[in-house]
Amino acid sequence: MTSLDKPTTDQGAEAPQDARASKEVTEAALFEAFGGLRGMIETVVPGLLFVTIFTINKNLHVSAIAALAVSLVLVAVRLIRRDTVKHAFSGVFGVAFGVVFAMMTGNAKDFYLPGMLYTLGLALAYIVTTLAGVPLIGLILGPVFKENLSWRTRNPGRKKAYAKASLAWGFILLAKCAILFPMYWWADTTKFGWVLVALKIPPFLLAVYLTWMFLAKAPPPIDVFAEMEAEERAEKERKAAAAAARSGTPEA
């Protein structure tokens, strides 16, 4: 039976299935872009180890070296397994900067300062790029969805969803900074460290969930890679047809 022969009820049933498939693809792409469960674990473990050791013995050097060592181990495991290492490497650099700051100042709270400054900068980047018409979340996820920057001019509904998602990320990260920066000045190192670790995952999950909600309701992405492949095939067919026409002219 052809698709034209199918009852209309079957066609209606396909729409929810397509919607579910789109949501699943969006969910998978988001976790791929932001590192997934493993990426979240790799983000939390070094800071958790640092604050745990410092809570027990108040030794800055031991805590910092342990955090850096576990970051290197996580990268090594990814290299051995030949997994994507970009998230693990970014974690190592963040921990390394934190260790350098803390060692230079002798203040254990400075271990967290580079990450806090990065979070603040990222929050402002999400908001500023959205106001400029090129929301950062679209720049991050465009290649993942194989749409690149097509959403800017060819898919206004998707651009609007990226703008909402970017603003969500920006304001969530700003709220996180609004909690952490005052605590950096008045809270003791142990209390500050535990609060910071506790705020690692929940804001991230909230931002990812809102992004998923916005994109799930948006128009599907335009697969520019498929378009380029189709254009290449069409160009080859045109050249083949032209060559066939030229070769057939003498015979005519």
Side-chain angles (χ1 to χ4, degrees), residues 7-80:
T8 55
T9 53
D10 289 347
Q11 294 176 350
E14 291 176 359
Q17 293 177 358
D18 292 341
R20 285 195 297 270
S22 176
K23 290 181 178 180
E24 290 173 358
V25 170
T26 300
E27 181 180 353
L30 284 174
F31 272 92
E32 176 186 345
F34 296 112
L37 179 60
R38 187 171 179 181
M40 288 188 288
I41 293 173
E42 291 172 344
T43 300
V44 172
V45 167
L48 178 61
L49 184 61
F50 178 90
V51 71
T52 300
I53 294 176
F54 190 83
T55 299
I56 296 172
N57 61 18
K58 301 294 190 257
N59 190 313
L60 169 60
H61 290 78
V62 173
S63 303
I65 292 173
L68 183 59
V70 76
S71 296
L72 293 173
V73 169
L74 292 173
V75 171
V77 170
R78 280 190 176 266
L79 289 173
I80 293 172

Side-chain angles (χ1 to χ4, degrees), residues 58-192:
K58 301 294 190 257
N59 190 313
L60 169 60
H61 290 78
V62 173
S63 303
I65 292 173
L68 183 59
V70 76
S71 296
L72 293 173
V73 169
L74 292 173
V75 171
V77 170
R78 280 190 176 266
L79 289 173
I80 293 172
R81 294 169 58 91
R82 298 183 180 180
D83 294 333
T84 303
V85 296
K86 60 180 180 180
H87 299 291
F89 269 127
S90 63
V92 166
F93 288 130
V95 172
F97 278 118
V99 169
V100 171
F101 268 65
M103 293 293 189
M104 289 177 59
T105 64
N107 185 354
K109 283 194 287 188
D110 287 339
F111 172 79
Y112 304 105
L113 187 57
M116 292 166 57
L117 294 174
Y118 172 78
T119 299
L120 178 60
L122 188 59
L124 295 176
Y126 276 120
I127 295 173
V128 170
T129 55
T130 302
L131 297 177
V134 283
L136 181 58
I137 207 72
L139 300 178
I140 295 173
L141 295 180
V144 177
F145 286 111
K146 301 180 180 180
E147 60 182 335
N148 285 350
L149 296 179
S150 62
W151 50 267
R152 287 197 63 198
T153 55
R154 300 172 57 190
N155 205 337
R158 198 157 181 86
K159 180 179 179 180
K160 185 177 180 180
Y162 281 138
K164 290 180 180 179
S166 289
L167 289 177
W169 277 90
F171 287 117
I172 288 172
L173 293 180
L174 279 182
K176 179 179 177 179
C177 291
I179 296 172
L180 292 179
F181 275 95
M183 288 193 67
Y184 172 80
W185 294 108
W186 62 260
D188 63 78
T189 301
T190 300
K191 182 185 296 184
F192 175 70

